[in-house]
Amino acid sequence: MTVLIWGTSWYAIKLQIGPVPLEVSVFYRMALAAVILLAGLAVTGRLQRPARWRFVVVQALCLFSFNFVAFYHAAALIPSGMVAVIFSLVSIFNAVNARIFFGERITAQVAVAGILGGVGVSLMFWQDLAVAREVETLQGIGWALFGAIIFSWGNMASRVNSSSGVPPLLANAWGLVLGALALLVMLAVKGQGLVAPQGADYWVGLVYLAVFASVIGFTTYLVLVWRIGSAKAGYATVLFPVVAMAVSTVLEGFEWTPLAGLGVAVALMGNLVMFWRGPVPRSRRSAPPV
């Protein structure tokens, strides 16, 4: 479910790029998702305040606001499928951040995966950067990498929340609320007013991103983080770029080059190396409290 939803969500982001400022579009997405998730929890009698707020706030800023501002800027500059491939490097960032924040060892396997990921991304954009020297492409890569790093920090906060007894669904609900508020403050500081969305494509993208990508997709992903850890949960990133690139090819008219194809293959190989482990022990497969 996570792979299918996130694999198609990148094109839905593309549908929101246009007359509505990017930060406003991110705000609409998070605000709508927050209302839906809070309403669902209230109806089922499961709405409550988290026991600890500090890392819920960190999760909100890193998973439900600033990271998507970066991704929307990236999608405005480079094909959405390419953004998805760069985002897949979050599995490597997770391993590095797990070392920094939790003291987990970085193995030679992680180092090889990181090298393959970096080489893969370089090959994907080699023609644009080395031949055409497109500044927009370089900016798009930078935004996508920045968003992936912030997203990885959010994964670390999610781990702390889960270990502190804050269920993923509850952390998501309040994270969406706080993320939307943070975006609203950003808009106020910039002096940017809210612009009314127009067009069927925009509304389709907004509803899909709010309901499926933000509510359902994030919940299923963070449940995986709770069950098998942030590094292994990132295995979804091996597969959803394949879905995203297929969508980008069909709907955006992305034109493949031999170097781009090789780059995608090498980047995905880096993720496969990253997650080349044995099966998850049966004792760790029980469902978490969501």
Side-chain angles (χ1 to χ4, degrees), residues 243-274:
V243 177
M245 289 304 300
V247 172
S248 185
T249 300
V250 174
L251 298 180
E252 293 183 89
F254 175 74
E255 297 182 2
W256 288 88
T257 65
L259 275 181
L262 178 61
V264 171
V266 172
L268 295 181
M269 180 61 68
N271 276 323
L272 288 173
V273 170
M274 178 73 185

Side-chain angles (χ1 to χ4, degrees), residues 78-79 82 86 120-130 137 141:
I78 57 178
M82 291 295 197
I86 296 174
V121 170
S122 299
L123 289 174
M124 280 192 298
F125 297 101
W126 181 261
Q127 184 170 349
D128 288 334
L129 296 180
T137 299
I141 296 171

Side-chain angles (χ1 to χ4, degrees), residues 4 14 21 29 37-39 42 51 71 78 117 123 147 149 162 166 184 194 202 209 213 233 248-249 255 277 279:
L4 290 176
K14 204 78 172 183
R29 171 181 177 177
L37 192 48
L38 285 177
F71 290 138
I78 57 178
L123 289 174
I149 292 171
S162 296
V166 181
L184 198 58
L194 299 181
Y202 187 96
L209 289 168
S248 185
T249 300
E255 297 182 2
R277 296 183 175 92

Side-chain angles (χ1 to χ4, degrees), residues 16 32 55-56 63 143 151 170 185 193 198 211 214 239 241 268 289:
Q16 289 199 287
L32 179 57
F55 285 98
V56 174
L63 293 187
W143 277 115
F151 182 87
L170 193 63
V185 171
Q198 296 181 355
V211 177
S214 296
L239 299 176
L268 295 181

Side-chain angles (χ1 to χ4, degrees), residues 51-128:
R52 297 183 180 181
W53 282 96
R54 181 172 57 177
F55 285 98
V56 174
V57 173
V58 176
Q59 181 173 324
L61 298 178
C62 294
L63 293 187
F64 302 119
S65 55
F66 299 131
N67 62 315
F68 276 106
V69 171
F71 290 138
Y72 275 57
H73 278 284
L77 298 169
I78 57 178
S80 61
M82 291 295 197
V83 180
V85 175
I86 296 174
F87 175 76
S88 72
L89 298 179
V90 74
S91 59
I92 298 166
F93 296 143
N94 279 349
V96 174
N97 284 322
R99 169 61 180 174
I100 295 172
F101 296 109
F102 300 105
E104 296 182 3
R105 187 169 63 93
I106 296 179
T107 64
Q109 181 178 351
V110 174
V112 172
I115 293 172
L116 288 173
V119 170
V121 170
S122 299
L123 289 174
M124 280 192 298
F125 297 101
W126 181 261
Q127 184 170 349
D128 288 334

Side-chain angles (χ1 to χ4, degrees), residues 161-243:
N161 286 328
S162 296
S163 63
S164 300
V166 181
L169 198 58
L170 193 63
N172 275 7
W174 290 108
L176 285 165
V177 172
L178 295 173
L181 290 175
L183 290 164
L184 198 58
V185 171
M186 177 193 298
L187 293 174
V189 171
K190 293 180 63 175
Q192 173 64 59
L194 299 181
V195 178
Q198 296 181 355
D201 287 349
Y202 187 96
W203 281 103
V204 169
L206 175 60
V207 172
Y208 185 83
L209 289 168
V211 177
F212 289 92
S214 296
V215 175
I216 299 176
F218 266 104
T219 299
T220 58
Y221 177 76
L222 293 179
V223 165
L224 288 177
V225 173
W226 186 91
R227 290 179 62 180
I228 60 178
S230 59
K232 291 182 180 179
Y235 183 71
T237 63
V238 177
L239 299 176
F240 76 70
V242 178
V243 177

